[in-house]
Amino acid sequence: SGMVRSVSSLRVARKKLRNDLECEKTRFKQVSKSALSKEKRIKAPADSEISKNSIIEQNNFQIETTKTEDDLKFLARLKAETEIEVNDAILKESEEAVLGMNKELHEVKEVMQDLAMLVKDQDEGVEQIHANVEGAHAKTSEAYEELKKAEKIQKEGGCCVS
């Protein structure tokens, strides 16, 4: 009865561990997918460069078509300020993406640690069950030998077991 409960509890524990493992795999895939998405956004500064170049070209066109010196100075200053704003926006966007990826990598690390803990817990349970099975085997072997002795004694008529 104790052996049946051990085997039954082992099955339940394995089923729970499989379910936990599947949940952790799903969580890992979600975090990885999100990290990949953010990484792609970081690697897409070309779009920002196009936007930046477009703004700069517009400013250049305005500078070329302006005749007065004051207008040229104003537009040059405006161009410099626009470049600074665009660069700041790109830097801020990149920084946010890197911070987001860092957070997601920490989540991946936590998932992996949880997975390692589950495996460790499962290993300890399996080791305990293995030790119990070996102990049960040894006791069963001892009982078998005792039964053989009792049968031999009974056949010789020495003692009657009731």
Side-chain angles (χ1 to χ4, degrees):
S1 174
M3 181 93 141
V4 172
R5 274 187 273 173
S6 293
V7 172
S8 177
S9 64
L10 174 61
R11 287 183 185 141
V12 169
R14 282 188 181 169
K15 186 175 182 179
K16 182 184 180 315
L17 285 171
R18 275 190 218 116
N19 289 340
D20 290 347
L21 181 60
E22 288 303 316
C23 289
E24 292 300 327
K25 280 182 184 178
T26 302
R27 187 171 146 216
F28 176 77
K29 286 177 185 177
Q30 290 171 341
V31 169
S32 295
K33 186 177 180 180
S34 179
L36 183 61
S37 173
K38 287 190 179 181
E39 182 179 354
K40 285 180 182 178
R41 278 190 263 144
I42 287 176
K43 289 183 179 179
D47 294 339
S48 297
E49 285 295 318
I50 290 169
S51 175
K52 176 183 170 186
N53 290 338
S54 172
I55 293 169
I56 292 170
E57 286 172 12
Q58 288 173 359
N59 288 339
N60 286 341
F61 176 76
Q62 290 173 350
I63 289 172
E64 291 171 6
T65 59
T66 306
K67 302 282 187 216
T68 66
E69 192 174 306
D70 287 340
D71 288 343
L72 289 174
K73 287 180 183 177
F74 173 76
L75 290 174
R77 193 172 352 108
L78 182 61
K79 176 185 175 186
E81 289 173 2
T82 303
E83 285 180 8
I84 290 170
E85 288 175 8
V86 168
N87 287 336
D88 285 347
I90 291 170
L91 285 174
K92 184 178 179 183
E93 191 176 299
S94 295
E95 180 183 3
E96 288 172 357
V98 168
L99 291 174
M101 284 179 49
N102 187 27
K103 180 183 176 194
E104 290 176 359
L105 287 174
H106 282 287
E107 289 177 12
V108 169
K109 176 186 168 192
E110 288 176 12
V111 168
M112 296 306 288
Q113 288 174 334
D114 291 346
L115 221 52
M117 188 65 100
L118 287 172
V119 169
K120 181 182 177 201
D121 290 345
Q122 180 183 14
D123 187 49
E124 290 172 0
V126 169
E127 289 296 322
Q128 181 63 41
I129 290 169
H130 179 71
N132 289 345
V133 168
E134 284 183 347
H137 177 70
K139 294 290 184 184
T140 303
S141 295
E142 289 175 20
Y144 179 73
E145 292 301 319
E146 290 293 324
L147 285 172
K148 282 176 39 179
K149 286 180 190 176
E151 181 182 30
K152 182 178 176 184
I153 292 172
Q154 190 175 17
K155 284 183 181 177
E156 292 174 355
C159 177
C160 186
V161 178
S162 52

